[in-house]
């Protein structure tokens, strides 16, 4: 018999449409694991309400009263998906031996949970949920995701391809993760950095059960850029090369201009002058903005603002009672 406590953490932002189904499916999985003595009876579902503007929190509160295994955290406002995951982990770590994070929309196969738990008992501290098919994603989402992973690889950031925020972490893995004090969270880049023994569980990603994606293209792009600038200074190196190339080109231009001048074709310099002004101006603006991006990161890091504010939660009291 295993008595390890599992907490399943579910970030929710305007998820009233899927929540009833999510509670039902995850509840079934959890109770099955408890019944089979795979996890302790204290194990819980922990819903993190990330400042939703719909009925998400009142639904969570209702289920909290109805079922002993449902608990919730209410943020004071919207802090974003990554912060919601971190809040769940930081609250659960004191009471659980393993924690699984999963999206509320049931896109990730809930049946992988029991496989993850098995891997945990085999000795893994980190179990990644990896998609083995992206059939249900749109062509566009699939392409952009693939480009992103290969770009990150080239920039020297170690990511597990096709794994998102569906994973199991052991108590000590979460403790190590919580030692990372950065404000700009990019969990899928941070988790591989904590080390420990890891394994993968494969599953097919489904369509969103209901409701709309909270990651439209603009937000996805922002998230990707955030990932790059939080984990790699390769873009700054790139600027150096860009600068060097520009200098070489301008040396060539200089030789050409001097030669032209010696030959007396003075007006002919107009075209090259115009081109260099525009080209150099553009290169400089891009470079400054890249550096600015990093300075922005430093700015938000040194302010050291809280990563989330919890307005109320029902997890701790339930865990203490049992
Ligand atoms: N989410 C959140 N805060 C946000 C945006 C999203 O907690 O500001 C949650 C959302 O409720 C869901 C998960 O993060 O459980 C993933 O979002 P979504 O399914 O919309 O992203 P996609 O699967 O389309 O990338
Ligand atoms: Mg989704």
């Amino acid at each position: 018999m295993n008595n390890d406590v599992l907490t399943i953490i579910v970030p929710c932002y305007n998820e009233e449409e899927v929540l009833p189904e999510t509670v039902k499916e995850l509840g079934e999985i959890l109770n099955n694991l408890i019944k089979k003595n795979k996890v302790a009876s204290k194990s819980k579902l922990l819903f993190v309400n990330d400042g939703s503007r719909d009925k998400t929190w009142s639904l969570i509160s209702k289920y909290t009263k109805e079922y002993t295994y449902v608990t919730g955290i209410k943020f004071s406002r919207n802090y974003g998906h990554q912060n919601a995951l971190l809040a769940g982990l930081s609250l659960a770590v004191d009471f659980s031996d393993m924690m699984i994070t999963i999206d509320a929309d049931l896109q990730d196969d809930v049946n992988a949970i029991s496989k993850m738990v098995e891997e945990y008992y085999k000795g893994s501290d980190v179990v990644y949920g990896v998609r083995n098919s992206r059939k249900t994603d749109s062509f566009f989402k699939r392409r952009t995701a693939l480009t992103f992973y290969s770009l990150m690889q080239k920039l020297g950031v170690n990511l597990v391809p096709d794994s998102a925020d569906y994973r199991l972490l052991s108590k000590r893995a979460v403790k190590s993760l919580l030692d990372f004090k950065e404000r700009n969270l990019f969990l899928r880049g941070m988790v591989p950095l904590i080390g420990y023994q890891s394994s993968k569980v494969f599953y097919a990603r489904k369509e969103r059960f209901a409701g709309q994606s909270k990651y439209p293209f603009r937000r996805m792009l922002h998230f990707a850029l955030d990932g790059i600038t939080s984990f790699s200074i390769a873009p700054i190196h790139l600027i150096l090369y860009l600068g060097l190339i520009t200098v070489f080109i301008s040396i060539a231009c200089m030789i050409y201009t001097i030669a032209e001048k010696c030959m007396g074709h003075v007006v002919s310099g107009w075209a090259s002058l115009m081109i260099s002004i525009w080209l150099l101006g553009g290169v400089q603006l891009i470079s400054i903005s890249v550096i600015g991006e990093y300075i922005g990161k430093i700015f938000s890091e040194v302010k050291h603002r809280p990563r989330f504010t919890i307005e109320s939660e029902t997890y701790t009291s339930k865990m203490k009672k049992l």
Side-chain angles (χ1 to χ4, degrees):
M1 180 166 152
N2 297 301
N3 254 327
D4 284 2
V5 180
L6 164 71
T7 299
I8 300 178
I9 297 157
V10 193
C12 307
Y13 177 57
N14 297 343
E15 299 285 8
E16 61 180 10
E17 284 166 85
V18 282
L19 214 56
E21 184 65 21
T22 311
V23 171
K24 184 173 147 258
E25 289 200 18
L26 287 177
E28 257 167 40
I29 298 277
L30 187 72
N31 287 320
N32 255 327
L33 285 170
I34 295 174
K35 226 184 286 161
K36 287 189 200 145
N37 280 328
K38 290 264 167 66
V39 299
S41 53
K42 260 173 95 165
S43 299
K44 295 275 180 298
L45 302 180
L46 173 54
F47 292 91
V48 186
N49 175 37
D50 184 13
S52 302
R53 277 168 307 206
D54 62 1
K55 290 199 213 73
T56 301
W57 181 245
S58 55
L59 275 176
I60 295 173
S61 308
K62 185 181 106 183
Y63 291 123
T64 305
K65 288 187 197 104
E66 234 166 87
Y67 307 110
T68 50
Y69 55 87
V70 176
T71 61
I73 296 178
K74 182 176 193 266
F75 274 3
S76 58
R77 64 166 169 88
N78 179 260
Y79 278 94
H81 179 208
Q82 302 287 299
N83 299 60
L85 293 173
L86 199 78
L89 291 172
S90 55
L91 209 62
V93 68
D94 292 331
F95 301 95
S96 331
D97 300 294
M98 57 185 132
M99 282 140 270
I100 292 178
T101 49
I102 183 169
D103 287 352
D105 57 8
L106 300 172
Q107 277 192 290
D108 304 311
D109 186 4
V110 291
N111 295 310
I113 289 178
S114 51
K115 289 189 225 156
M116 286 182 177
V117 172
E118 257 158 50
E119 290 295 322
Y120 164 83
Y121 284 121
K122 279 189 209 151
S124 291
D125 281 277
V126 180
V127 187
Y128 298 101
V130 180
R131 302 163 197 171
N132 57 12
S133 110
R134 276 184 175 268
K135 271 193 227 108
T136 56
D137 277 351
S138 68
F139 174 75
F140 181 68
K141 183 135 190 171
R142 205 160 55 217
R143 266 289 9 126
T144 46
L146 286 177
T147 315
F148 175 64
Y149 285 114
S150 72
L151 181 68
M152 287 301 263
Q153 193 80 42
K154 287 199 191 96
L155 294 178
V157 186
N158 187 12
L159 292 183
V160 179
D162 276 333
S163 78
D165 288 306
Y166 184 24
R167 61 174 93 78
L168 178 146
L169 294 170
S170 71
K171 193 189 202 77
R172 62 176 183 178
V174 173
K175 281 194 173 151
S176 309
L177 188 67
L178 293 173
D179 283 338
F180 286 70
K181 297 294 181 204
E182 60 222 71
R183 314 287 107 180
N184 294 291
L185 291 176
F186 187 63
L187 291 171
R188 58 192 86 168
M190 290 157 71
V191 172
L193 291 180
I194 61 181
Y196 293 122
Q197 187 179 326
S198 70
S199 54
K200 293 175 189 164
V201 162
F202 293 90
Y203 68 94
R205 187 160 156 102
K206 291 183 274 190
E207 300 261 15
R208 209 173 214 286
F209 180 76
Q212 289 228 316
S213 172
K214 272 77 198 173
Y215 276 100
F217 179 65
R218 201 171 48 83
R219 230 177 142 169
M220 218 161 70
L221 191 69
H222 193 232
F223 185 58
L225 287 178
D226 233 21
I228 293 172
T229 49
S230 293
F231 273 82
S232 160
I233 54 164
I236 288 187
H237 292 161
L238 211 68
I239 292 181
L240 177 67
Y241 295 123
L242 213 63
L244 286 176
I245 293 170
T246 328
V247 168
F248 284 124
I249 294 174
S250 60
I251 289 173
C253 282
M254 209 165 71
I255 295 169
Y256 166 75
T257 320
I258 292 168
E260 285 286 280
K261 192 170 167 64
C262 291
M263 283 186 274
H265 309 142
V266 207
V267 242
S268 68
W270 185 79
S272 56
L273 204 65
M274 285 310 274
I275 292 169
S276 16
I277 288 172
W278 284 96
L279 184 72
L280 283 177
V283 169
Q284 282 168 357
L285 281 180
I286 293 171
S287 309
I288 291 171
S289 76
V290 172
I291 295 169
E293 186 68 26
Y294 285 93
I295 295 178
K297 283 263 147 82
I298 300 170
F299 179 62
S300 63
E301 293 294 338
V302 293
K303 274 189 292 187
H304 228 83
R305 287 189 176 158
R307 295 190 273 198
F308 48 81
T309 307
I310 294 177
E311 190 175 311
S312 62
E313 55 96 1
T314 51
Y315 181 76
T316 329
S317 57
K318 274 202 183 182
M319 287 310 270
K320 279 189 182 145
K321 220 183 284 168
L322 290 166

